[in-house]
Amino acid sequence: MSESNVYTAPDANLHTEIENNSGMGKGHPLPDGVKGWSWGAFLLNWIWSIGNSTWIGLIALIPYIGFVMAIVLGIKGREWAWQNKKWESVEEFQRVQKKWSFWGVLIVLGFFLIGILAAILIPMLAA
């Protein structure tokens, strides 16, 4: 009869990486860091949808429904992008989604600033 030492720590597997299940559709657990708000999906909705193989996002092209779909994409877009497209890793996914968000915010701010400048300069030039 072999006795185990009660003072020895049990073996632990510290490398508990989740299998890369991107592109496998619904029903698979999402890794940490995938869920969350997506500015890229919200601001560049139908373009983002094509780039991330999330075809339901094309509903954003329909008038009136498009704004609601943009909000839904902002909330669920990252999860859908993970489920619909094969990614090398969570880090690559994060990097790509960060670029989408950067460009979405940059483009919207650019249009906003151009609109403000136009609202100031057009009346000045017309007078």
Side-chain angles (χ1 to χ4, degrees):
M1 179 174 173
S2 68
E3 292 183 28
S4 63
N5 188 348
V6 294
Y7 300 108
T8 305
D11 292 334
N13 184 2
L14 299 177
H15 301 289
T16 56
E17 295 180 12
I18 295 178
E19 173 188 339
N20 184 348
N21 58 9
S22 65
M24 298 176 88
K26 294 180 182 179
H28 299 280
L30 296 172
D32 292 336
V34 170
K35 289 183 179 182
W37 179 262
S38 174
W39 284 107
F42 175 69
L43 297 171
L44 300 173
N45 42 52
W46 66 271
I47 300 169
W48 178 92
S49 296
I50 293 170
N52 287 282
S53 302
T54 306
W55 307 115
I56 194 166
L58 295 178
I59 293 174
L61 292 170
I62 300 173
Y64 304 111
I65 298 172
F67 182 70
V68 174
M69 189 62 197
I71 294 171
V72 171
L73 282 171
I75 295 169
K76 297 291 284 181
R78 290 173 56 90
E79 295 174 38
W80 290 345
W82 179 264
Q83 293 168 345
N84 294 332
K85 187 175 180 182
K86 187 68 177 165
W87 301 92
E88 288 180 23
S89 64
V90 176
E91 291 78 22
E92 182 214 9
F93 175 79
Q94 294 283 24
R95 188 173 53 253
V96 170
Q97 296 306 314
K98 187 181 261 188
K99 287 180 185 178
W100 277 106
S101 294
F102 172 78
W103 285 106
V105 170
L106 187 70
I107 289 169
V108 169
L109 282 177
F111 281 127
F112 182 72
L113 292 175
I114 289 170
I116 289 175
L117 287 174
I120 293 170
L121 293 177
I122 289 174
M124 285 176 50
L125 296 174

